[in-house]
């Protein structure tokens, strides 16, 4: 069992059940889009953000991103962390067919993928105090590498997202946050160059 300090916010009960199998901590479910009309739930996560901090761990599909963005707007940004599961195509065991976007959700991820995502988000797992990290990568760096502001930038960001194991639907700001937590500027340049070399 892994102990986690932050309260983990997930979308559904199956996600919660999955995490309770290996995480010892507060795990709350938004019950999907019901979070939009549940003021008590919003107040609860605001209180948790003020006391222990929260980490949002939603699916990588469009619905998951909308829920993540809704919660993000309701909580002080300095008290919320973002953990991302990669875009992996497939179907959860309990389902007969894949989701609309064909991606596995949190419940379909392995324990190691989820623990790694929480650690990369800066969560305190197993009493490790994860330091806030920043590689100093800026929007100007993204532009210089062709990841924003030009033809093919969106496609390049999508390939980069796949390479580093995060959802392709991340906004540029969210991608920048993830990059600053997971790679150095030199590593980013190297990854992007390798992607470009493969495309030629």
């Amino acid at each position: 069992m892994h102990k986690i300090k932050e309260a983990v916010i997930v979308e559904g009960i199956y996600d919660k059940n999955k995490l309770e199998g290996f995480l010892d901590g507060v795990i709350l479910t938004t019950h999907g889009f019901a979070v939009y009309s549940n003021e008590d739930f919003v107040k609860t996560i605001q209180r948790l953000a003020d006391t222990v901090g929260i980490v949002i761990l939603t699916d990588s599909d469009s619905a998951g991103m909308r829920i993540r963005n809704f919660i993000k707007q309701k909580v002080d940004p300095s008290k919320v962390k973002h953990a991302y599961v990669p875009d992996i195509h497939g179907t959860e065991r309990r389902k007969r067919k894949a989701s609309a976007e064909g991606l596995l959700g949190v419940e379909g991820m392995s324990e190691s993928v989820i623990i790694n995502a929480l650690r990369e988000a800066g969560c305190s797992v197993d009493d490790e105090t994860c330091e806030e990290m920043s590689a100093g990568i800026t929007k100007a760096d993204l532009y210089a590498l062709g990841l924003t502001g030009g033809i093919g930038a969106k496609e390049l960001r999508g390939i980069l997202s796949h390479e580093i194991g995060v959802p392709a639907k991340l906004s540029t700001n969210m991608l920048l946050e993830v990059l600053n937590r997971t790679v150095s500027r030199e590593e980013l340049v190297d990854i992007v160059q390798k992607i470009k070399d493969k495309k030629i």
Side-chain angles (χ1 to χ4, degrees), residues 17 32 100 115 133 135 150 167 171:
N17 291 345
I115 293 297
M133 303 179 333
S171 68

Side-chain angles (χ1 to χ4, degrees), residues 117-131:
L118 293 170
R119 284 192 170 122
E120 285 186 351
C123 294
S124 301
V125 180
D126 295 329
D127 296 324
E128 296 172 7
T129 302
C130 298
E131 297 294 321

Side-chain angles (χ1 to χ4, degrees), residues 7-178:
V8 184
I9 313 299
V10 295
E11 290 178 63
I13 194 68
Y14 292 103
D15 300 330
K16 182 178 180 184
N17 291 345
K18 171 84 176 198
L19 268 59
E20 285 178 337
F22 57 86
L23 269 188
D24 179 11
V26 176
I27 304 166
L28 300 175
T29 174
T30 68
H31 297 289
F33 294 124
V35 69
Y36 292 172
S37 57
N38 190 339
E39 291 180 25
D40 289 337
F41 181 81
V42 170
K43 287 176 185 172
T44 297
I45 61 173
Q46 288 169 337
R47 277 195 303 274
L48 286 166
D50 288 337
T51 55
V52 294
I54 65 168
V55 57
I56 304 172
L57 179 65
T58 56
D59 296 349
S60 58
D61 61 8
S62 299
M65 290 299 168
R66 285 198 305 269
I67 291 167
R68 179 185 296 275
N69 287 330
F70 174 80
I71 296 170
K72 189 171 89 169
Q73 292 170 6
K74 300 293 182 182
V75 180
D76 178 348
S78 68
K79 296 174 182 174
V80 62
K81 295 174 180 172
H82 295 274
Y84 301 99
V85 295
D87 287 344
I88 298 175
H89 291 274
T91 306
E92 282 87 2
R93 289 183 192 172
R94 70 179 175 86
K95 296 180 180 176
R96 290 188 171 190
K97 63 178 190 171
S99 66
E101 294 177 39
L103 299 173
L104 288 176
V106 169
E107 72 171 284
M109 296 293 151
S110 68
E111 175 182 335
S112 61
V113 166
I114 293 171
I115 293 297
N116 187 53
L118 293 170
R119 284 192 170 122
E120 285 186 351
C123 294
S124 301
V125 180
D126 295 329
D127 296 324
E128 296 172 7
T129 302
C130 298
E131 297 294 321
E132 287 295 322
M133 303 179 333
S134 178
I137 300 167
T138 65
K139 285 187 177 177
D141 293 322
L142 299 187
Y143 179 80
L145 290 168
L147 292 163
T148 60
I151 296 170
K154 183 177 181 180
E155 179 189 3
L156 187 57
R157 282 195 312 275
I159 298 169
L160 172 65
S161 295
H162 177 73
E163 288 290 319
I164 64 171
V166 297
K169 292 177 183 60
L170 293 184
S171 68
T172 304
N173 286 338
M174 290 172 117
L175 179 61
L176 185 61
E177 180 183 317
V178 170

